[in-house]
Amino acid sequence: MTNFLQRAALVTLSGAALAASLLSPAQAASPAADPALTWRSCAKTGGPLDQECADLSVPLDYGDPAGPHLTLAVSRLRGDHPEARRGTLAVIPGGPGGSGVQRLTQKGEALRKETKGVYDLVAFDPRGVGGSTRASCQLAPDDRRLVNLRSWPDADGGIAGNIARARRTAEACARNGGAVLRSFSTANEVRDLDLLRRALGERKLSAWGTSYGTYVGAQYAQRFPGRTDRIVLDSSGDPDPSRVERGWLANMAKGVDDRFPDFAAWAADPARGDLRLAERTDGVRPLFLDLAAALDRAPKTSTTPGVPLTGNLLRQALQNALVEDAAFPQLARLVEEARDPAAVPVLPPALAAPLPDEDAAVTLGVLCNDVTWPTSMGEYRRAVAADRARHPLTAGMPVNVTPCSFWKDAPAQKPTRITDDGPSNVLMIQNLRDPAVPYSGALEMRAAFGDRARLVSVDHGGHGVYLANGNACGDRAVTRFLITGERPRGDLYCGA
């Protein structure tokens, strides 16, 4: 799922540093007693002036609650209508690796206004993210480039290079990540969320989870059904417990296919001027595929020294841009620069530099700690060959080998299956053309919840719906539910 990786750098923790770090048992309070939160003002640039922050101590291992602890960065916006206070609404970020504190900074004021100030809004940076305790795999810069963390096959479909990179990445994480990295998982984020509930003194929590955060929210609703009030799941993936993140990654191929026509229509519109890529909508796809193939054969020098524009980098730029319509001009400009012999392409910032090591570590940690991945390289080769033929825009990447196939530690527990056993207090909202978690996957989540959920389907493209794409029908349905508890009688369709 989508991951917006702008986080503050903190001291990283290796296995050796762990013993002498802030994780000492003497400093750790047992979760048998409700943990305390000491709030301080922490207004951030572009965010609400009354944003507050605190630190939450959580067990490194919930099987040993009196043992070493980690620190999570927590943030809050108090409701501004205390006489009508509903409770606390947790804002759960995407990722894995998204910052809840940053999400609250970006969306908190709009969410508070939309919900008429009846909730205290809270969020935290999950383990490994932002202001929380972090870990490092100590990966080489080239291995931290998004186009390499995502296993794009070679131009001929070969994956030998992907296998070698995945193996050395997994080995580096095993060597350097230590117990902190091994603790990064959805199961622990769900436990951490419930510990935050206790620290806040709340009997129940409401939540708005987006992208990967929908899985956290769904798992919370399944594991602690009696502690949930109103749950909104915005942009959900297939919760199949045998696949989890592996399934989400594989489904991206269909998601990109579902979404690409929106970009094609935009790029063929005469109003685009210099950014118009083709005279007809059906000409954009072959143009893009031919250009990517040409860059496979002859990468083009970019403005970033040592990082040429390759076919796979162009494909990754497409995947990034399909998340929101506002990114279409940047992608079209990159395509035009790649086609113009006299132009030097300017790479999007997310592709021009490596990810910070700690950001790569938390994303890999959750993906690989949550579920077991196949280890047969022959199976990956066959899957890549078939997927490249079926979905050329993603060229086999979504089903390719990852470091998880060489991960040293088995998942601490099996993923929890989402079922219809629990209160009917879940509202899902989903774009029909989501490039990251396709609508077909959301239907699987809807089916798993049964009558516990209602689904609002929005005729729109992109990733993220509520307070994101301007669809009044969808926004009204979510806001009404959060304020009054009223959901549609049945699943709801919202037109463009």
Side-chain angles (χ1 to χ4, degrees), residues 87-108:
T88 293
L89 174 65
V91 177
I92 309 176
S99 165
V101 173
Q102 183 184 69
R103 180 77 173 161
L104 191 62
T105 300
Q106 295 168 340
K107 292 290 187 178

Side-chain angles (χ1 to χ4, degrees), residues 40 96 154 188 218 223 274 367 420 479-480:
R40 61 187 182 274
D154 290 339
N188 276 339
R223 187 176 176 88
D274 293 342
L367 265 60
D420 60 359
T479 298
R480 183 183 303 115

Side-chain angles (χ1 to χ4, degrees), residues 283-363:
V284 177
R285 182 183 172 100
L287 180 153
F288 184 89
L289 291 173
D290 289 348
L291 179 59
L295 291 169
D296 283 338
R297 296 187 296 270
K300 188 172 184 181
T301 300
S302 77
T303 58
T304 303
V307 185
L309 178 60
T310 64
N312 282 338
L313 204 152
L314 183 68
R315 296 180 184 101
Q316 184 62 61
L318 168 68
Q319 191 175 54
N320 289 4
L322 293 181
V323 167
E324 58 177 346
D325 292 2
F328 287 178
Q330 183 182 59
L331 176 62
R333 190 170 295 108
L334 183 64
V335 169
E336 287 292 80
E337 290 168 351
R339 297 171 68 197
D340 182 354
V344 180
V346 179
L347 302 182
L351 302 180
L355 297 180
D357 190 70
E358 296 88 346
D359 292 343
V362 66
T363 299

Side-chain angles (χ1 to χ4, degrees), residues 159 163 167 374-382 401 405-406:
I159 66 170
I163 293 171
R167 180 182 284 110
T375 58
S376 167
M377 297 304 107
E379 181 178 336
Y380 286 112
R381 288 188 178 93
R382 290 188 292 273
V401 64
S405 296
F406 301 99

Side-chain angles (χ1 to χ4, degrees), residues 152-399:
W152 292 94
D154 290 339
D156 62 359
I159 66 170
N162 302 131
I163 293 171
R165 189 186 302 275
R167 180 182 284 110
R168 73 170 171 266
T169 297
E171 290 173 349
C173 289
R175 188 167 57 248
N176 302 308
V180 176
L181 180 64
R182 291 194 295 272
S183 80
F184 296 165
S185 69
T186 301
N188 276 339
E189 185 169 342
V190 167
R191 295 184 185 100
D192 293 344
L193 179 60
D194 196 56
L195 198 59
L196 175 60
R197 175 194 62 79
R198 289 172 50 187
L200 293 167
E202 295 285 6
R203 188 173 63 88
K204 293 185 177 183
L205 275 182
S206 294
W208 171 34
T210 305
S211 190
Y212 165 70
T214 64
Y215 185 62
V216 176
Q219 289 285 313
Y220 189 82
Q222 187 66 39
R223 187 176 176 88
F224 303 113
R227 302 173 193 174
T228 61
D229 187 8
R230 296 167 184 172
I231 304 297
V232 174
L233 305 181
D234 181 342
S235 306
S236 304
D238 185 346
D240 180 355
S242 68
R243 290 165 58 83
V244 192
E245 287 95 341
R246 183 162 62 93
W248 303 338
L249 186 60
N251 290 343
M252 283 183 179
K254 175 172 172 46
V256 170
D257 284 348
D258 289 347
R259 173 66 162 151
F260 189 85
D262 291 338
F263 172 68
W266 182 94
D269 188 332
R272 302 305 162 214
D274 293 342
L275 295 182
R276 188 185 188 196
L277 301 182
E279 293 186 0
R280 293 165 49 94
T281 297
D282 60 8
V284 177
R285 182 183 172 100
L287 180 153
F288 184 89
L289 291 173
D290 289 348
L291 179 59
L295 291 169
D296 283 338
R297 296 187 296 270
K300 188 172 184 181
T301 300
S302 77
T303 58
T304 303
V307 185
L309 178 60
T310 64
N312 282 338
L313 204 152
L314 183 68
R315 296 180 184 101
Q316 184 62 61
L318 168 68
Q319 191 175 54
N320 289 4
L322 293 181
V323 167
E324 58 177 346
D325 292 2
F328 287 178
Q330 183 182 59
L331 176 62
R333 190 170 295 108
L334 183 64
V335 169
E336 287 292 80
E337 290 168 351
R339 297 171 68 197
D340 182 354
V344 180
V346 179
L347 302 182
L351 302 180
L355 297 180
D357 190 70
E358 296 88 346
D359 292 343
V362 66
T363 299
L364 290 171
V366 176
L367 265 60
C368 301
N369 290 332
D370 267 8
V371 70
T372 301
W373 293 60
T375 58
S376 167
M377 297 304 107
E379 181 178 336
Y380 286 112
R381 288 188 178 93
R382 290 188 292 273
V384 165
D387 215 55
R388 284 170 66 83
R390 191 178 300 117
H391 305 287
L393 287 170
T394 46
M397 179 277 292
V399 297

Side-chain angles (χ1 to χ4, degrees), residues 114 429 456 458 460 465-467 469-480 492 494-496:
E114 189 75 8
I429 187 165
V456 178
V458 178
H460 201 279
V465 191
Y466 184 54
L467 306 183
N469 62 20
N471 185 277
C473 168
D475 285 352
R476 278 197 306 270
V478 174
T479 298
R480 183 183 303 115
L492 175 68
C494 290

Side-chain angles (χ1 to χ4, degrees), residues 98-129:
S99 165
V101 173
Q102 183 184 69
R103 180 77 173 161
L104 191 62
T105 300
Q106 295 168 340
K107 292 290 187 178
E109 196 60 77
L111 180 60
R112 181 164 58 181
K113 180 179 179 181
E114 189 75 8
T115 55
K116 302 185 185 304
V118 301
Y119 289 99
D120 289 340
L121 308 178
V122 300
F124 65 87
D125 285 348
R127 300 168 183 231
V129 176

